Amino acid sequence: MKYTLWIALAVAALLGLLGSVYVVREGQVGLVLNLGRVARTDIGPGLHFKWPLVETVRTFDSRFALIDFSPERYLTSERKDVSVDFVAIGYINDARAFYRATGGIESAAADRLAPIIKDSLRNEINSRTLTQLVSGDRSEVIAKQLEGINKGAETLGMRIVDIRLKQIDLPTDSDVIKQVYDRMRAERKQVASALRAEGEEQARTVRAQADRDQAVLVAEAERDAQRFRGEGDAQAARLFAQAAEGDPGFFAFHRSLQAYRAAFADGQGVIVLDRDDPFLQYFKNER
């Protein structure tokens, strides 16, 4: 009987010892509850002790965490509707405040942070145009609101170190996309018109240069033709002169043949002459 009692006491002592020891791992922070009330908090990594059955331990991840939110719709300074998708990077810096505000539920912390961050971003986005929001420095948008966001996050025992804008979209149920497409289409048409006008200007320049080159070539060709024609006529005249000097009778005969050809070229010519007219001398000459 005594042996069984000692065994029972040893088991109870062992269970009590195991119930009084807990471990907080690296990257975690511990919080001890005494009958549901916070007794000790911000307990660092290591082996720790507590009262068994009376005290319970909650541990939370104290490392940087990525907190995702649903996209939120905002209006820019131009009253254009945009949908902004973002995430927050933060950590738990006060386990007591975190437990009291959220009951230790991380999803509840995200739900409490969402309106704080979204309202802060709304003030900044409302003061910017769509172009500034899309093409500007997004870190500048966050930097101006981070201090105010942390004042709200402090009540949750958290600190936000950064907010990243993942995506900025134009809602499909608004007229913004159509307006953007219309503006892009107008810009492309403007560029196309400018290129077309530039091409037409270059075409006119090329055609004018080609016309000038053609006129110059034709003028030079005509000049050379006139020169060659003149040289040919001069050479022909010299040959005729030489022929006339060598044989005057042949020259006279040739000139008469040319006169006959010119007189009867059309086949309809009629000439009335005296039979002794010199023009007919070669018609009578039997030689």
Side-chain angles (χ1 to χ4, degrees), residues 41 55 77 99 112 130 154 163 172 198 215 229 244-245 258 269:
T41 185
E55 293 182 337
S77 61
Y99 179 78
R112 296 281 298 275
L130 179 61
E154 186 177 355
I163 297 175
T172 56
E198 183 179 353
R229 192 177 295 112
E245 291 176 358
Q258 287 182 333

Side-chain angles (χ1 to χ4, degrees), residues 46-226:
L47 181 65
H48 304 277
F49 296 92
K50 64 181 181 63
W51 292 106
L53 302 179
V54 178
E55 293 182 337
T56 57
V57 176
R58 296 289 301 273
T59 57
F60 307 105
D61 196 337
S62 61
R63 296 171 296 180
F64 288 120
L66 196 67
I67 308 171
D68 202 358
F69 301 96
S70 60
E72 183 73 6
R73 295 176 67 163
Y74 299 98
L75 290 177
T76 65
S77 61
E78 307 163 300
R79 310 300 297 173
K80 292 183 177 179
D81 196 10
V82 293
S83 177
V84 180
D85 191 7
F86 60 92
V87 295
I89 301 174
Y91 63 95
I92 299 173
N93 66 338
D94 187 345
R96 182 190 297 269
F98 180 80
Y99 179 78
R100 287 179 174 176
T102 66
I105 302 174
E106 294 183 358
S107 60
D111 293 339
R112 296 281 298 275
L113 278 173
I116 298 174
I117 297 176
K118 291 180 179 181
D119 290 342
S120 297
L121 291 179
R122 178 173 289 105
N123 297 331
E124 192 66 27
I125 293 174
N126 289 348
S127 64
R128 295 174 180 266
T129 65
L130 179 61
T131 302
Q132 292 173 340
L133 186 61
V134 173
S135 60
D137 186 1
R138 298 187 183 184
S139 60
E140 183 181 351
V141 178
I142 304 304
K144 293 183 177 180
Q145 300 298 325
L146 200 57
E147 183 178 355
I149 291 173
N150 275 316
K151 288 182 179 179
E154 186 177 355
T155 61
L156 303 176
M158 299 186 66
R159 181 168 183 81
I160 304 301
V161 296
D162 194 10
I163 297 175
R164 299 295 177 89
L165 302 183
K166 296 195 300 182
Q167 194 169 4
I168 300 176
D169 289 327
L170 300 174
T172 56
D173 58 346
S174 69
D175 294 332
V176 180
I177 293 180
K178 182 178 181 300
Q179 294 173 4
V180 171
Y181 286 159
D182 290 343
R183 184 169 64 252
M184 292 173 61
R185 192 176 295 110
E187 291 175 353
R188 292 300 92 194
K189 287 183 178 179
Q190 184 178 2
V191 172
S193 298
L195 292 175
R196 191 176 296 110
E198 183 179 353
E200 292 176 354
E201 179 65 23
Q202 292 178 357
R204 286 194 295 270
T205 302
V206 171
R207 281 195 294 268
Q209 184 64 39
D211 292 340
R212 285 194 295 270
D213 293 344
Q214 179 186 11
V216 170
L217 290 174
V218 170
E220 291 178 350
E222 185 65 27
R223 180 198 63 197
D224 294 341
Q226 292 290 345

